[in-house]
Amino acid sequence: LPAMTNNLTTTNRHSHLPARNSAVLKRKAVVIGEAVASDDADRIFPDQDFAQQAHVPDFGKYLEMYTWSIEDPAGFWSEMADGFYWKKKWGQQVNSENLDITKGNIKIEWFKGGITNICYNCLDRNIESGNGEKIAIHWEGNDRGVDDSLTYNQLLDRVCQLANYLKENGVKKGDSVIIYLPMLMELPISMLACARIGAVHSVVFAGFSAESLEQRIIDCKPKIVITCNAVKRGTKVINLKDIVDSALSESSQNGVHVGLCLTYANEPAMKREDTKWQKQRDVWWQDVVPKCSTKCDVEWVDAEDPLFLLYTSGSTGKPKGVLHTTGGYMVYTAATFKYAFDYKPSDIYWCTADCGWITGHSYVAYGPLLNGATVLVYEGVPNYPDPGRCWDIVDKYKVTIFYTAPTLVRSLMRDGNEAILGSVGEPINPSAWRWFYNVVGDSRCPISDTWWQTETGGFMITPLPGAWPQKPGSATFPFFGVQPAIVDEKGKEMEGECSGYLCVKTSWPGAFRTLFGDHERYETTYFSAFPGYYFSGDGCSRDKDGYYWLTGRVDDVINVSGHRIGTAEVESALVSHPKCAEAAVVGVEHEVKGQCIYAFVTPVEGVEYSEDLKKSLVLSVRTNIGAFAAPDKIHWAPGLPKTRSGKIMRRILRKIASRQLDELGDTSTLADPNVVDQLIALADS
Ligand code: WTA
């Protein structure tokens, strides 16, 4: 399994066949594996039965489609877009190609002049084609036995009611709406309702703190905030409304006043009467939305009208509002979902991501629903009330495609062993075991390691299960229309086997169009490092067979349990603590989380090191950003290794943090080389 923090999927179309069948299939897979030449030992071949029925059954077919997508992007993507409903077809030009900042401003456009609506294409279109009674969403609550489901017809009704409510309250095309909700059905409903009326949604992950929420409210000035009173995560109740109250009152003081906070009463977590309430601003969802009409006309929008904003961390400064538009994003998420997961209408699909991140946008909500899929939405934590919960859910809903982050696989593997060792006197759920065995063990189910980013909208480098052999840990080959380039320090593209910076050469439909309110930052961050290319911020190598291997961020961004965090943000949260003079944060490899946050902290003069101070520093990060960004380790630092010009040498800090003390390298250029010895001496204090 890949060690990187990335996204994995497994397609398990045969999971509910009797054991006898799976044994046969497994044996076949082993035979194929054994029959191949020895240098193929690191490859895992797709099961032949699986490959035969796949959308892209072999490498030849992939090459044919890929070549078409590169030589004639307009033709290829027009064909992909044809399956959708367009009120009016796009103009002459399908796309704009310039990614070269030296030739002019970066302005990416796809299907410009085309008029459509993504909510219509997710719901109405699928209903019109006869899928109204198909389940769109299965919802599984935090507590066992609490569940619900919506057909496409019912989902459309619910979306229309909310859309009407938003319209009645003055939300118009182009207005932004902040959604701060956990994984209730109301979260995708809210996203779709915004899309239906042309409003721009900005989902803020419900693990972000009040200060982070406030920052986002101030940046995008929403007409309305949609939230719920509380959520249960395992046994813990989190009072979301308090967080929203604090964010709204702070943002008001900073000149951004939001007049309406639509609050869903999530009663299993908290009773209405226990919720703090501001009469003039707060409204219970259940009091108003169900009264609205279930018919709501679609607001037809241009393909290039904004669909959503999603804030993400960069290596410097405040989080950036990544802006995605409608048409290209629609076509791209739908196509990537269909091909990378080899989606078939009978599949039951579960993506464990939260809609607060890009994975939830593209592959919980839009990609699957555009394909008319049945999606499972799970409210809770994967190992509550016990480590078997995930596999129970897979079993309960007969999930055939499971998309998750390696951090979850790693934590379940760990729990899984304990569960097996500890299961004396009690049978292990056999189907769960088989599933676990097949996925983690023999891999009869293809595993797809998908590389992409908030900025890319959808998968960029991804296996197509069935089309070619996998190499565990490699994201394999580019998706249709994607031209990756590995460049050296000087921005020169390298050929063949190589290692360097991962860029993309030409635009693709799912690309983000700008950073909200700061197009200049968009151009300098992504397009000026290597002129002519989009620069991803990731390192990458390509092996002799052309497989791509992601090697991690080359900038100061850390990936903790799949959550993207800028070191600068954590540092500024630490420094906001009155007793912290200076802080430097690095990412360190972590067995389960992929990376964890390791902070070097210099207290202000005269302050003693203490466990209490550590705790209060960590708390400062929790309240500034959110619990998921809390440092795992605070390392006292009387001084930080700096160059004579005052730049912190993070390379050295990373080595100290990971205890690779014999690899510190040249420290003679430091302003004060003694600092390093002091840090080593304090490593475990
Ligand atoms: C990392 C998440 C290795 C990468 C979809 C990227 C990966 C960042 C992979 C984006 C992968 C994503 N293998 N690393 N398959 N997929 N990453 O914006 O560093 O939250 O730049 O999007 O995650 O994180 P983001």
Side-chain angles (χ1 to χ4, degrees):
L1 289 168
M4 293 299 306
T5 298
N6 48 7
N7 297 302
L8 294 173
T9 177
T10 101
T11 314
N12 192 15
R13 199 154 290 134
H14 310 290
S15 68
H16 298 282
L17 293 177
R20 196 162 29 92
N21 275 2
S22 30
V24 170
L25 286 174
K26 222 159 26 197
R27 223 173 306 124
K28 252 194 219 159
V30 172
V31 171
I32 296 168
E34 279 167 1
V36 294
S38 61
D39 72 330
D40 279 337
D42 58 345
R43 301 195 200 184
I44 293 170
F45 285 77
D47 177 271
Q48 278 191 331
D49 292 351
F50 182 89
Q52 265 162 22
Q53 54 77 60
H55 293 304
V56 181
D58 52 51
F59 202 69
K61 177 74 183 167
Y62 162 73
L63 274 185
E64 183 191 308
M65 289 177 76
Y66 182 74
T67 309
W68 177 24
S69 75
I70 299 305
E71 288 176 354
D72 174 23
F76 179 87
W77 289 110
S78 293
E79 172 113 346
M80 292 282 153
D82 256 351
F84 295 104
Y85 178 77
W86 298 82
K87 181 99 184 141
K88 185 174 152 242
K89 273 278 161 83
W90 48 92
Q92 287 278 306
Q93 197 192 352
V94 174
N95 59 320
S96 62
E97 269 307 332
N98 182 35
L99 292 193
D100 191 344
I101 190 87
T102 62
K103 295 200 181 123
N105 288 78
I106 307 297
K107 188 177 184 205
I108 296 172
E109 288 181 335
W110 283 84
F111 310 112
K112 178 79 181 157
I115 304 293
T116 188
N117 182 289
I118 196 169
C119 173
Y120 184 90
N121 275 295
C122 285
L123 305 180
D124 312 60
R125 186 182 55 101
N126 282 317
I127 291 168
E128 276 155 29
S129 66
N131 281 318
E133 287 308 304
K134 184 173 176 178
I135 301 284
I137 299 179
H138 279 300
W139 179 78
E140 171 81 5
N142 179 71
D143 291 305
R144 272 207 175 97
V146 180
D147 56 24
D148 202 351
S149 65
L150 290 176
T151 62
Y152 272 84
N153 282 327
Q154 291 167 328
L155 178 58
L156 176 62
D157 286 354
R158 302 277 288 270
V159 166
C160 285
Q161 287 181 317
L162 178 61
N164 279 322
Y165 179 77
L166 295 176
K167 280 209 293 201
E168 279 165 24
N169 285 279
V171 180
K172 289 189 292 295
K173 182 182 167 201
D175 287 341
S176 55
V177 170
I178 280 203
I179 305 170
Y180 186 72
L181 280 171
M183 288 295 274
L184 302 172
M185 287 204 277
E186 283 65 24
L187 176 44
I189 288 172
S190 300
M191 294 161 69
L192 290 163
C194 290
R196 191 164 190 87
I197 62 172
V200 183
H201 59 73
S202 182
V203 182
V204 177
F205 172 59
F208 274 110
S209 68
E211 284 179 35
S212 290
L213 180 59
E214 176 205 335
Q215 211 175 41
R216 286 153 176 77
I217 291 171
I218 291 173
D219 196 62
C220 80
K221 305 177 183 55
K223 269 270 165 71
I224 173 169
V225 170
I226 304 178
T227 189
C228 70
N229 54 349
V231 63
K232 266 180 91 176
R233 308 264 310 150
T235 52
K236 216 163 97 194
V237 173
I238 298 159
N239 188 332
L240 294 181
K241 183 65 167 39
D242 275 359
I243 296 172
V244 176
D245 283 351
S246 148
L248 286 175
S249 78
E250 286 295 317
S251 56
S252 261
Q253 282 174 23
N254 283 294
V256 177
H257 182 71
V258 181
L260 179 58
C261 178
L262 182 65
T263 310
Y264 183 82
N266 191 20
E267 300 255 49
M270 180 182 276
K271 295 236 159 12
R272 286 193 193 203
E273 51 271 29
D274 298 333
T275 310
K276 284 199 207 110
W277 208 244
Q278 290 197 18
K279 265 208 180 107
Q280 65 292 6
R281 186 197 66 199
D282 302 341
V283 175
W284 288 113
W285 174 306
Q286 284 95 327
D287 288 350
V288 292
V289 177
K291 293 193 186 119
C292 295
S293 162
T294 53
K295 299 276 170 288
C296 175
D297 285 342
V298 162
E299 177 82 38
W300 298 106
V301 301
D302 191 281
E304 282 303 332
D305 278 333
L307 174 62
F308 67 86
L309 264 182
L310 185 59
Y311 288 86
T312 190
S313 296
S315 50
T316 54
K318 275 194 246 159
K320 317 175 270 199
V322 167
L323 186 113
H324 282 283
T325 56
T326 305
Y329 178 83
M330 172 171 84
V331 173
Y332 198 71
T333 52
T336 45
F337 177 80
K338 175 178 165 185
Y339 288 102
F341 294 162
D342 195 50
Y343 169 73
K344 301 284 166 60
S346 59
D347 280 321
I348 307 285
Y349 167 77
W350 181 19
C351 168
T352 62
D354 192 292
C355 284
W357 309 102
I358 190 66
T359 309
H361 281 66
S362 302
Y363 301 110
V364 173
Y366 292 114
L369 295 175
L370 285 165
N371 278 279
T374 295
V375 183
L376 174 69
V377 171
Y378 174 46
E379 180 190 22
V381 282
N383 55 1
Y384 173 79
D386 53 61
R389 183 70 188 275
C390 254
W391 320 126
D392 287 349
I393 295 173
V394 166
D395 215 33
K396 174 171 171 185
Y397 296 96
K398 306 210 179 328
V399 170
T400 56
I401 304 175
F402 180 61
Y403 185 40
T404 192
T407 179
L408 186 93
V409 176
R410 286 188 296 261
S411 84
L412 291 172
M413 275 168 77
R414 204 165 70 164
D415 289 345
N417 290 339
E418 281 161 17
I420 291 163
L421 292 173
S423 72
V424 181
E426 205 196 339
I428 305 176
N429 177 340
S431 57
W433 184 90
R434 255 202 317 275
W435 188 88
F436 195 20
Y437 177 74
N438 285 330
V439 172
V440 182
D442 204 41
S443 279
R444 176 174 49 80
C445 313
I447 292 188
S448 294
D449 179 349
T450 59
W451 177 77
W452 61 299
Q453 309 178 292
T454 305
E455 291 87 340
T456 70
F459 305 147
M460 298 295 279
I461 302 182
T462 174
L464 301 184
W468 56 73
Q470 307 273 322
K471 293 191 186 186
S474 164
T476 74
F477 297 109
F479 191 71
F480 306 129
V482 175
Q483 293 193 67
I486 301 182
V487 305
D488 66 13
E489 230 119 81
K490 298 201 180 81
K492 187 173 169 306
E493 185 177 351
M494 294 180 282
E495 302 296 330
E497 221 179 321
C498 62
S499 172
Y501 301 97
L502 181 60
C503 294
V504 185
K505 253 191 270 193
T506 52
S507 118
W508 64 99
F512 68 139
R513 305 302 200 244
T514 192
L515 292 178
F516 181 64
D518 202 347
H519 198 69
E520 198 182 318
R521 188 175 175 197
Y522 170 77
E523 292 183 334
T524 48
T525 309
Y526 300 98
F527 298 95
S528 58
F530 305 113
Y533 300 97
Y534 162 76
F535 173 45
S536 67
D538 279 319
C540 183
S541 63
R542 189 167 46 214
D543 70 16
K544 62 178 185 350
D545 301 316
Y547 283 67
Y548 287 83
W549 300 79
L550 276 299
T551 54
R553 300 285 307 195
V554 293
D555 55 7
D556 294 317
V557 171
I558 318 182
N559 230 311
V560 180
S561 301
H563 299 154
R564 181 167 154 185
I565 300 163
T567 52
E569 282 171 71
V570 183
E571 284 162 7
S572 92
L574 289 167
V575 173
S576 74
H577 190 287
K579 292 190 175 159
C580 175
E582 200 171 12
V585 165
V586 296
V588 170
E589 219 173 283
H590 185 278
E591 195 192 338
V592 171
K593 301 180 186 179
Q595 279 186 303
C596 69
I597 299 180
Y598 193 113
F600 293 88
V601 173
T602 312
V604 294
E605 277 291 320
V607 168
E608 297 276 318
Y609 304 142
S610 75
E611 282 307 307
D612 281 348
L613 180 53
K614 277 189 185 172
K615 281 196 195 118
S616 107
L617 285 163
V618 171
L619 187 66
S620 177
V621 180
R622 287 172 167 263
T623 52
N624 264 274
I625 305 174
F628 63 92
D632 277 53
K633 167 90 181 170
I634 304 278
H635 186 140
W636 298 123
L640 291 167
K642 290 182 186 166
T643 59
R644 288 188 193 100
S645 58
K647 197 172 170 293
I648 295 175
M649 292 193 66
R650 286 168 196 280
R651 176 179 59 78
I652 295 176
L653 291 177
R654 277 189 211 106
K655 295 291 176 196
I656 296 175
S658 56
R659 304 291 188 268
Q660 292 167 296
L661 301 180
D662 46 352
E663 293 173 27
L664 290 176
D666 182 13
T667 55
S668 63
T669 56
L670 291 175
D672 176 9
N674 293 327
V675 162
V676 173
D677 296 330
Q678 287 175 341
L679 285 178
I680 293 171
L682 284 165
D684 294 305
S685 65

